[in-house]
Amino acid sequence: LREFASGVLRAAFVAAARLLWHAGLTGWLLRRSSVHPAVLVLTYHRVAEEQGRGAVGHRPNIIDRDLFRSHLAWLSSWCRPVSTTELREFLGGRGSWSGVGYLVTFDDGYRDVLDAAVPILEAAGARAVVMVTSGILDGTLVLPADVAAGVVPGQAPRLYLDARSTRELRERGVEVGAHSVSHRPLEELEAVEQEAEIRHSRSRLEEVLGGAVEVFSWPIGRVPGGLRELARRAGFTLVFANDFGAVLPGDDPLDLPRIAAVEYSVPVLAGKVLVALLAGSLRRWRRG
Ligand SMILES: [Zn+2]
């Protein structure tokens, strides 16, 4: 019953978002809810390398190239791209800020981010961070979503980033962050394993890149405060959660909400963004 109810809610949201968009109200509402500074951090996983809507099919976590381009075009039309350096300044209340910024994040470490997403990011002038699950770098780990799809280790060498393509990402101006070693739900592991997942993902990526890695995103779900403390002690200075929302000035840099953007049409993404900004206004008002 709960599943049915959430399905109905989702369908109602999609219908309402489309209605607002086609009535021309989304832009009007966004202009009103974006007077206070906020940063939208969007979460993606994969971008289809093949052209056309048919290319995506039923595969999970993958967005069609044209749709991804449309997302960025829509975002660029009313908010500005923000790097992680600017995000840190924003959180610390430094710099002069007005309006809304956006940052693109890709979780997991799929190779198609380099091949299909980077040219689109470059054309849009967008800033992005790719959170790499360090276990994929040597080709022995298969991520849970792909295990379910029947992928076995070594069978799909071009599915994930390797050391070389991870370096290439950084050379092309995309930041690299960590996303644990094995992509297991960290809250279910023993303390020793939790710490290893966080620390070793960082050290392995730093070894590959020859430079500092200070951004992290949690592999799955909601994360208890104790794990955030582990991330801080491991040296991460920006940590993205899987909680929904817009980032506001003064938010905890180790617990930043995001907006999962995967398969939405532009009107539905706009509806999600609107809800995130309205919830942000409420949060700002409560803080006083
Ligand atoms: Zn992930």
Side-chain angles (χ1 to χ4, degrees):
L1 183 66
R2 187 175 292 171
E3 210 162 281
F4 174 74
S6 77
V8 169
L9 274 179
R10 212 166 20 243
F13 179 83
V14 166
R18 286 205 187 118
L19 204 66
L20 276 183
W21 178 271
H22 292 295
L25 285 171
T26 311
W28 184 83
L29 286 166
L30 276 173
R31 276 193 295 283
R32 261 139 205 85
S33 49
S34 60
V35 287
H36 297 292
V39 174
L40 309 167
V41 182
L42 298 135
T43 313
Y44 296 91
H45 292 81
R46 310 187 56 186
V47 175
E49 284 182 76
E50 309 88 342
Q51 197 71 41
R53 304 217 166 251
V56 175
H58 66 281
R59 283 177 291 169
N61 286 344
I62 186 161
I63 185 170
D64 169 77
R65 261 208 277 183
D66 295 333
L67 182 55
F68 181 60
R69 197 179 286 115
S70 305
H71 280 190
L72 296 189
W74 175 72
L75 286 161
S76 307
S77 71
W78 68 282
C79 53
R80 67 183 180 93
V82 164
S83 67
T84 53
T85 308
E86 289 169 300
L87 179 58
R88 283 190 186 89
E89 289 169 3
F90 170 83
L91 290 165
R94 299 187 298 279
S96 57
W97 271 83
S98 64
V100 177
Y102 77 98
L103 170 69
V104 176
T105 63
F106 292 94
D107 278 4
D108 293 355
Y110 285 96
R111 163 88 205 194
D112 51 31
V113 172
L114 176 61
D115 298 324
V118 169
I120 299 172
L121 290 164
E122 284 172 345
R127 304 303 302 260
V129 192
V130 179
M131 315 291 183
V132 179
T133 315
S134 66
I136 60 169
L137 292 169
D138 57 13
T140 53
L141 179 74
V142 175
L143 294 173
D146 301 314
V147 172
V151 176
V152 296
Q155 190 198 42
R158 275 183 52 85
L159 185 59
Y160 304 126
L161 292 163
D162 55 14
R164 196 167 156 188
S165 45
T166 302
R167 282 193 289 272
E168 201 181 326
L169 268 181
R170 187 174 262 193
E171 281 154 22
R172 305 248 327 239
V174 175
E175 190 167 339
V176 175
H179 192 57
S180 83
V181 176
S182 71
H183 209 284
R184 288 177 292 173
L186 298 193
E187 65 277 15
E188 291 171 14
L189 304 181
E190 300 290 328
V192 177
E193 280 184 301
Q194 290 175 334
E195 187 157 0
E197 286 278 341
I198 296 169
R199 279 186 187 279
H200 294 171
S201 63
R202 180 170 190 230
S203 54
R204 176 74 178 106
L205 282 163
E206 289 189 332
E207 180 185 79
V208 161
L209 294 164
V213 171
E214 293 192 4
V215 183
F216 187 87
S217 71
W218 300 109
I220 299 166
R222 287 178 165 272
V223 166
L227 276 175
R228 292 203 289 276
E229 176 56 21
L230 279 183
R232 188 188 64 77
R233 288 214 305 264
F236 291 105
T237 57
L238 279 183
V239 178
F240 294 105
N242 299 308
D243 301 326
F244 172 81
V247 177
L248 305 183
D251 275 355
D252 181 357
L254 300 183
D255 191 22
L256 299 171
R258 296 191 284 180
I259 298 168
V262 181
E263 75 281 31
Y264 303 131
S265 65
V266 171
V268 176
L269 176 65
K272 291 267 168 186
V273 165
L274 189 59
V275 171
L277 290 174
L278 290 173
S281 302
L282 193 65
R283 207 145 61 82
R284 187 182 287 110
W285 176 73
R286 276 211 200 114
R287 268 184 205 166

